[in-house]
Amino acid sequence: MSMNEPVPLHPEDRAAFESALRKALDTPEVRAALGRPGAPYTADELRARALAAADSLAAEASSEYATLLDLRSGSAADRPPAGGEGVKAVVAALAVLTPLLSAAAAAIFLLLGYGLRVAGAAGTPADTLVGTGWTAAVIAGVAGLAAGGGLAFTAARHHATERGAPPSRESLARAEAAWQRALLQRSLLPRLRRELGLPDSISAPPTPTPVVPEPRSRTRLGYSRPDFTGPDFSGPDYTGPSGPSRD
């Protein structure tokens, strides 16, 4: 199924479409428009108009809807048909019981036949029992080989099924939620806005630009020492340090 082509709305999805329509009618902007004087339509009239155009409205979310339908078809393809499990159970029981019963019958017939021969009762009954026993043994061998092949085939098929497992309920629920969200945002709300004369979208208020304060000179805090000037050692009045004289 191509996701670029509109997919007709299936009857089983009408309830989901109506649920998305109720959500669209219950949004604050639509309720406010319906409550203002001179509104062109009532809620019931909008609902009726949307339901009448359900297929064209659903086409706006056709890609998500196609994904949902593909998941459903894969799940249905992997689901066994009605009564299939019962038939498989009977076949499996026969595949297990046939070699067992044939082996048991072969053992009984061979014991009786060879027992009669040992007892000296050679003749038709003993030969018949021995022949029947060997026939049952051959049947047991063939049935055992068939059962082994069937088990190997079932195991290989089960392994392949696990690698390509059908979609889970969670994936189906996610696909349905994505479809309803696209249906609401891309189809129903734009249609209701046009019907009510509202803008196509409600723009968010502009984000205020933060005011950056201008840099100010920092006030110098703490103790500031007074200006200190050392003595002038090069002046003419300097007589040098005084110290004790030799006298």
Side-chain angles (χ1 to χ4, degrees), residues 141-181:
V142 173
L145 291 176
L151 290 175
F153 175 76
T154 302
R157 184 177 180 181
H158 180 69
H159 182 66
T161 303
E162 285 183 347
R163 289 187 299 176
S168 62
R169 293 182 180 179
E170 289 78 8
S171 61
L172 287 172
R174 287 194 298 268
E176 186 169 358
W179 169 58
Q180 290 195 21
R181 185 166 54 251

Side-chain angles (χ1 to χ4, degrees), residues 113-142:
Y114 284 112
L116 290 176
R117 286 184 179 180
V118 171
T124 302
D127 295 338
T128 301
L129 291 173
V130 170
T132 304
W134 282 115
T135 301
V138 172
I139 294 174
V142 173

Side-chain angles (χ1 to χ4, degrees), residues 35-246:
R36 69 186 179 185
Y41 300 103
T42 64
D44 291 336
E45 289 172 343
L46 284 178
R47 181 180 294 105
R49 291 171 65 86
L51 291 176
D55 288 336
S56 61
L57 289 172
E60 299 295 332
S62 59
S63 60
E64 289 81 2
Y65 191 46
T67 300
L68 174 62
L69 294 181
D70 286 341
L71 287 175
R72 286 180 182 171
S73 62
S75 177
D78 292 326
R79 189 181 304 119
E85 292 296 331
V87 174
K88 289 182 179 179
V90 172
V91 172
L94 290 176
V96 173
L97 292 176
T98 299
L100 294 178
L101 294 177
S102 300
I108 293 172
F109 290 138
L110 289 175
L111 286 175
L112 290 176
Y114 284 112
L116 290 176
R117 286 184 179 180
V118 171
T124 302
D127 295 338
T128 301
L129 291 173
V130 170
T132 304
W134 282 115
T135 301
V138 172
I139 294 174
V142 173
L145 291 176
L151 290 175
F153 175 76
T154 302
R157 184 177 180 181
H158 180 69
H159 182 66
T161 303
E162 285 183 347
R163 289 187 299 176
S168 62
R169 293 182 180 179
E170 289 78 8
S171 61
L172 287 172
R174 287 194 298 268
E176 186 169 358
W179 169 58
Q180 290 195 21
R181 185 166 54 251
L183 189 64
L184 178 66
Q185 297 176 354
R186 297 207 308 262
S187 178
L188 293 174
L189 281 177
R191 173 65 176 266
L192 294 180
R193 291 186 185 117
R194 289 193 298 270
E195 296 279 3
L196 295 171
L198 297 174
D200 289 340
S201 61
I202 304 298
S203 59
T207 304
T209 304
V211 178
V212 180
E214 296 181 359
R216 296 179 300 174
S217 59
R218 293 184 296 176
T219 303
R220 188 175 181 180
L221 302 178
Y223 173 76
S224 61
R225 61 181 178 84
D227 294 336
F228 175 77
T229 304
D232 188 2
F233 295 98
S234 63
D237 296 334
Y238 177 72
T239 58
S242 61
S245 62
R246 294 182 180 179

